[in-house]
């Protein structure tokens, strides 16, 4: 059983469209992080959310942490081909060590 | 360089051989993590060091996997008697200080293929 469930697993959209990616769990996390990974490279951190209900914006990307700190979402406005990549959510469990638990990822393709 | 450096980038080995993967973290980073990423999956935790101390090795799949960080900087992940299921990308990450909210900086990984 995957501790962090991401959906959708694959997403192919046209340039200019909006999209939302979800990250859900039955467990509570002290924080959730979103990473983007391109082929042949390591994940690159986009944002860390710590407080339940927190919303963070990074240009066209909006990240939200659920009130109960069990889920998170990533919304992209007016997607561009440069947004193409694998989006991973990862969390540090309450009471656990510093290791991150990752979801399987959402593979996003933005077509020009 | 300024980032986490991993070597080799690619490694091909025959089943049964031993392999050693190296990670050079960002200078001064206290914490170092190893993850395994299978094709089409997210990374899975293997082990974690705080300076030279290995604080968590709960993710190591078997006793064939061994990691060390003897001087608190460079780390080596060793896999003995490799098997085909060991084929994956091995990612190393480091963070400046301890704490569950600390950002982890990843290297580009070593892609291991076992024939």
């Amino acid at each position: 059983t995957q501790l962090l469930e991401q959906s959708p697993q694959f997403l192919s959209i046209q340039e200019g469209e909006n999209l939302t990616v979800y990250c859900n769990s039955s467990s509570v996390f002290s924080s959730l992080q979103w990473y983007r990974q391109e082929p042949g490279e390591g994940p690159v951190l986009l944002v860390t959310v710590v407080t339940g209900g927190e919303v963070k914006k990074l240009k066209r990307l909006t990240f939200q942490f659920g009130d109960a700190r069990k889920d998170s979402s990533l919304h992209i406005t007016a997607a561009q081909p440069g947004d193409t990549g694998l989006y991973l959510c990862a969390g540090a469990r309450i009471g656990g060590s510093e290791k991150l638990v990752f979801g399987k990822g959402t593979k996003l393709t933005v077509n020009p | 360089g300024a980032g986490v450096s991993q070597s080799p980038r690619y490694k091909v080995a025959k089943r049964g051989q031993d392999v050693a993967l190296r990670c050079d973290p960002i200078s001064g980073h206290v914490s170092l993590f190893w993850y395994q990423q299978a094709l089409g999956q997210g990374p899975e935790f293997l082990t974690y060091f705080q300076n030279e101390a290995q604080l968590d090795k709960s993710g190591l799949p078997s006793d064939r996997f061994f990691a060390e960080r003897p001087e608190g900087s460079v780390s080596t992940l060793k896999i003995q008697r490799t098997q085909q299921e060991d084929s994956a990308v091995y990612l190393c990450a480091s963070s400046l200080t301890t704490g569950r909210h600390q950002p982890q900086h990843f290297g580009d990984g070593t892609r291991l293929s076992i024939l």
Side-chain angles (χ1 to χ4, degrees), chain A:
Chain A
T1 303
Q2 194 77 14
L3 195 59
L4 279 172
E5 298 281 351
Q6 282 191 244
S7 61
Q9 193 174 350
F10 299 95
L11 189 55
S12 181
I13 62 171
Q14 293 300 121
E15 183 175 2
E17 292 183 0
N18 302 331
L19 67 115
T20 302
V21 175
Y22 300 93
C23 177
N24 296 298
S25 177
S26 58
S27 298
V28 179
F29 288 85
S30 62
S31 63
L32 276 180
Q33 300 179 354
W34 284 92
Y35 290 82
R36 187 174 127 202
Q37 185 178 26
E38 301 199 39
E41 298 182 6
V44 175
L45 180 68
L46 296 174
V47 78
T48 300
V49 285
V50 178
T51 306
E54 182 176 5
V55 177
K56 280 191 174 178
K57 292 192 175 184
L58 186 66
K59 296 183 181 178
R60 293 176 294 100
L61 278 60
T62 302
F63 304 86
Q64 187 162 7
F65 199 11
D67 291 340
R69 289 153 71 192
K70 293 182 178 181
D71 55 86
S72 182
S73 63
L74 157 60
H75 182 79
I76 301 179
T77 303
Q80 299 176 0
D83 296 327
T84 293
L86 179 68
Y87 289 83
L88 295 158
C89 69
R93 296 183 69 183
I94 285 186
S97 71
E98 297 176 35
K99 67 184 181 188
L100 290 177
V101 174
F102 280 84
K104 287 188 175 182
T106 293
K107 188 170 172 58
L108 172 66
T109 303
V110 182
N111 302 298

Side-chain angles (χ1 to χ4, degrees), chain B residues 43-103:
Chain B
E44 289 196 9
F45 171 79
L46 293 175
T47 187
Y48 155 58
F49 291 85
Q50 190 177 112
N51 295 308
E52 68 279 3
Q54 189 174 20
L55 297 188
D56 187 345
K57 53 181 181 179
S58 62
L60 295 177
S62 75
D63 58 9
R64 296 186 296 105
F65 287 70
F66 172 76
E68 60 183 3
R69 193 187 185 198
E71 297 178 359
S73 55
V74 171
S75 177
T76 304
L77 176 67
K78 297 179 180 178
I79 309 174
Q80 296 177 322
R81 304 181 303 281
T82 52
Q83 300 177 5
Q84 284 191 322
E85 61 261 32
D86 299 335
S87 295
V89 174
Y90 290 84
L91 294 166
C92 176
S94 69
S95 61
L96 179 60
T97 62
T98 60
R100 288 193 295 273
H101 305 327
Q102 291 300 311

